[in-house]
Amino acid sequence: MGRLSRRPAQPDAPAGKPLALKTAAARPARPKTANRLKRIEAKRGAILDAALALFSRYGLHGTTVEQIARTAAVSKTNLFYYFASKEDVYVGVLSRLLDQWLEPLRDLQLDTDPIEGIGEYIRRKVLFSRTHPEASRLFCLEMVQGAPLLRHELETSLKQLVDAKAEVIRGWTAAGKLGPIDPYHLIFAIWATTQHYADFASQVDALLNTGLDDERFVEEVTRNVQRIILDGLRVRKDD
Amino acid sequence: MGRLSRRPAQPDAPAGKPLALKTAAARPARPKTANRLKRIEAKRGAILDAALALFSRYGLHGTTVEQIARTAAVSKTNLFYYFASKEDVYVGVLSRLLDQWLEPLRDLQLDTDPIEGIGEYIRRKVLFSRTHPEASRLFCLEMVQGAPLLRHELETSLKQLVDAKAEVIRGWTAAGKLGPIDPYHLIFAIWATTQHYADFASQVDALLNTGLDDERFVEEVTRNVQRIILDGLRVRKDD
DNA sequence: GTCTATAAATAGATAGAC
DNA sequence: GTCTATCTATTTATAGAC
């Protein structure tokens, strides 16, 4: 390919398989003290933080490297010392993102009472929307645009996890502890409703003049989502 | 401002108030036959269609004017004859979008039985996700990024409509025909769950290997969303 | 590791002929 | 209305000194 330069905007898509975060270790070898490595990771982290804030607001192509550098308080040239390209930064951000996004699902305690367990999951997802709105929005942006970079992870890590949790939900229903419901659509409904308050925050704000910044609203959202999702799932005699 | 040229990527935001679609009438006056106007509108429409497909997939900054032109089968120069700028195209697309997006809400028949009415609204929203996935996704993209161009419309047209429908839902509850629920959160839940299958189609596909292209899946989604949303809302003795 | 140029190319937009 | 040619700012990325 010779001279590397700006590539056409489109093939965002071709996207390789594993989505591996190129670590500093890939750089020309040099004796690295623990301290040195720590400083490098700190700087990389600061750049990724700045990039998340910008990518989630303006998208990949709406954000310039210059902006990321300025926000992270490093020079543009310096940024290119830590990351091979803008796309490399983007991949780095997405990589951290998926882990964060998956965390509440991993922690979903399905070995308890279903109503309690699902209620707690909803609470944690709402909390995630509150504490990581930018992560939620960038994840959303990436999904909406076809998830070119995450597709592989979705089909492996995510699918495995979701399949396992779906099985437990089926078990609850079979045991008569939960009304009959398709577990996948239930999980989608929980994701959709809880993420909505982060992803569509501008719409919520336009209509209600508030958002997850307000702690009382967080409580209100949690209560209402729990009610909507759970009240139809209790076991009733008239079924 | 003199020479017009590319503006900095960011202030996507400053965004004026009304979001008016600059019509062909704004062009230098010339005697226009009905036929002529029709051809102009047809061409503008074709460009907007192409732009919707691309903007919804790659975002505003990820799409080039060249691509829009090629997709619409016109030359780039010709496109600039019909639209003053790339942003002008974008505003044109968004303007059509909001109308489409609002349509099912307008048609929401709240003067019938609540369970039936809300069930029908869900059905129509799922159908919209099926028939207008690109519109749904671009709307989502715009919301996630802060809705700079739609903010005004959200605070006026949308708010007015939603407030009105919320009042009816409250009426149902007061009349004992519907369980007690916050109408806004109910509406958010319906939007979130139904739009999810268009906006997060790539995630749904990664997990279930299907999507709204499949008519049976459309039915499945409709049934499940209706069940999840509605089953908790019926009036029960044990309340 | 960090900085000062600067290269290379894209992409939005216009001029002006037909 | 449509096309060919072109202008120019922006932006990604690199070279090379310190």
Side-chain angles (χ1 to χ4, degrees):
Chain A
M1 208 189 286
R3 268 210 166 280
L4 264 199
S5 59
R6 284 173 73 197
R7 268 137 295 160
Q10 242 64 81
D12 271 352
K17 255 55 228 270
L19 211 187
L21 176 57
K22 199 185 290 175
T23 67
R27 295 255 153 217
R30 256 227 243 171
K32 301 207 170 88
T33 69
N35 219 329
R36 206 177 110 78
L37 270 173
K38 222 170 73 186
R39 284 224 331 281
I40 288 175
E41 279 314 305
K43 201 151 190 179
R44 283 181 61 95
I47 292 169
L48 291 176
D49 288 343
L52 170 61
L54 291 162
F55 285 147
S56 69
R57 182 137 199 90
Y58 305 108
L60 169 56
H61 302 291
T63 303
T64 71
V65 174
E66 170 71 40
Q67 275 181 299
I68 299 171
R70 198 169 41 233
T71 305
V74 302
S75 73
K76 193 171 60 162
T77 331
N78 198 221
L79 185 152
F80 278 115
Y81 176 80
Y82 288 96
F83 292 90
S85 67
K86 181 183 175 178
E87 265 208 11
D88 191 29
V89 177
Y90 191 69
V91 170
V93 174
L94 277 193
S95 178
R96 289 199 314 180
L97 195 57
L98 190 67
D99 282 345
Q100 294 180 318
W101 194 91
L102 277 175
E103 201 192 305
L105 185 57
R106 286 195 218 282
D107 290 7
L108 174 54
Q109 294 303 333
L110 288 172
D111 51 337
T112 66
D113 170 70
I115 299 299
E116 214 170 291
I118 296 172
E120 173 64 10
Y121 180 47
I122 291 171
R123 199 188 64 78
R124 294 206 48 181
K125 283 289 288 179
V126 173
L127 208 60
F128 181 83
S129 284
R130 175 201 173 84
T131 55
H132 298 77
E134 293 172 339
S136 184
R137 284 194 278 263
L138 184 56
F139 188 77
C140 181
L141 281 185
E142 189 62 14
M143 289 299 130
V144 168
Q145 302 190 303
L149 292 168
L150 289 179
R151 178 141 212 104
H152 178 72
E153 309 289 313
L154 296 182
E155 285 170 350
T156 54
S157 322
L158 179 66
K159 182 163 168 39
Q160 202 171 16
L161 197 53
V162 172
D163 284 347
K165 303 296 183 185
E167 218 32 68
V168 183
I169 296 176
R170 279 213 188 87
W172 278 334
T173 299
K177 294 200 227 164
L178 192 72
I181 186 67
D182 180 292
Y184 292 95
H185 291 291
L186 173 59
I187 290 172
F188 291 156
I190 295 172
W191 287 347
T193 47
T194 55
Q195 290 165 199
H196 186 82
Y197 294 91
D199 301 344
F200 284 68
S202 54
Q203 194 182 46
V204 172
D205 184 60
L207 290 173
L208 298 185
N209 241 305
T210 184
L212 295 181
D213 293 331
D214 181 348
E215 200 157 339
R216 283 165 313 173
F217 190 65
V218 176
E219 301 248 342
E220 182 186 321
V221 166
T222 307
R223 241 183 305 117
N224 277 280
V225 172
Q226 285 174 338
R227 188 195 184 313
I228 291 172
I229 300 283
L230 291 176
D231 274 17
L233 296 179
R234 296 178 207 280
V235 183
R236 291 195 297 277
K237 312 135 211 167
D238 55 305
D239 262 346
Chain B
M1 207 191 284
R3 259 193 180 292
L4 263 200
S5 57
R6 285 171 72 197
R7 266 134 299 160
Q10 243 63 84
D12 270 351
K17 254 57 228 266
L19 214 187
L21 178 57
K22 200 185 288 175
T23 66
R27 295 255 155 218
R30 255 227 243 173
K32 296 198 176 102
T33 68
N35 219 328
R36 205 178 113 78
L37 270 174
K38 224 170 72 187
R39 285 225 327 283
I40 289 175
E41 279 314 304
K43 202 152 188 179
R44 283 180 61 94
I47 291 170
L48 291 176
D49 288 343
L52 171 61
L54 292 162
F55 285 147
S56 69
R57 183 141 199 87
Y58 305 109
L60 169 56
H61 301 293
T63 303
T64 70
V65 173
E66 171 72 40
Q67 275 181 298
I68 299 170
R70 198 167 44 233
T71 306
V74 302
S75 72
K76 191 170 66 160
T77 333
N78 198 220
L79 185 150
F80 277 115
Y81 177 79
Y82 288 97
F83 292 90
S85 68
K86 182 183 174 179
E87 265 208 10
D88 192 28
V89 178
Y90 191 70
V91 170
V93 174
L94 277 193
S95 178
R96 291 199 313 182
L97 195 57
L98 190 66
D99 282 346
Q100 295 180 317
W101 193 91
L102 277 176
E103 201 193 305
L105 185 57
R106 286 194 218 283
D107 290 7
L108 175 53
Q109 294 301 333
L110 288 173
D111 50 337
T112 66
D113 170 70
I115 300 298
E116 215 171 289
I118 296 173
E120 172 65 10
Y121 180 48
I122 291 172
R123 200 187 63 79
R124 295 206 49 183
K125 281 291 288 179
V126 173
L127 207 61
F128 182 84
S129 284
R130 177 204 173 84
T131 53
H132 299 77
E134 292 172 340
S136 185
R137 284 193 278 264
L138 183 55
F139 189 77
C140 182
L141 280 185
E142 190 60 15
M143 288 301 129
V144 168
Q145 303 191 304
L149 292 168
L150 289 179
R151 177 138 211 107
H152 179 71
E153 310 290 312
L154 296 183
E155 285 171 348
T156 54
S157 320
L158 179 65
K159 180 160 170 39
Q160 200 170 18
L161 197 54
V162 171
D163 284 348
K165 304 297 185 186
E167 218 32 67
V168 183
I169 296 176
R170 280 214 187 87
W172 278 333
T173 298
K177 292 200 226 164
L178 191 73
I181 186 68
D182 180 292
Y184 292 95
H185 291 291
L186 173 59
I187 290 172
F188 290 156
I190 295 172
W191 287 348
T193 47
T194 54
Q195 290 164 201
H196 186 83
Y197 295 92
D199 301 343
F200 283 69
S202 54
Q203 193 182 46
V204 171
D205 185 60
L207 290 173
L208 298 185
N209 241 306
T210 184
L212 295 180
D213 293 332
D214 181 348
E215 199 157 341
R216 283 166 312 173
F217 190 65
V218 176
E219 302 248 343
E220 182 185 320
V221 166
T222 307
R223 240 183 306 116
N224 277 278
V225 172
Q226 285 175 338
R227 188 194 183 313
I228 291 171
I229 300 282
L230 293 175
D231 274 16
L233 295 179
R234 295 179 210 280
V235 182
R236 290 195 297 278
K237 313 134 211 165
D238 55 305
D239 262 347

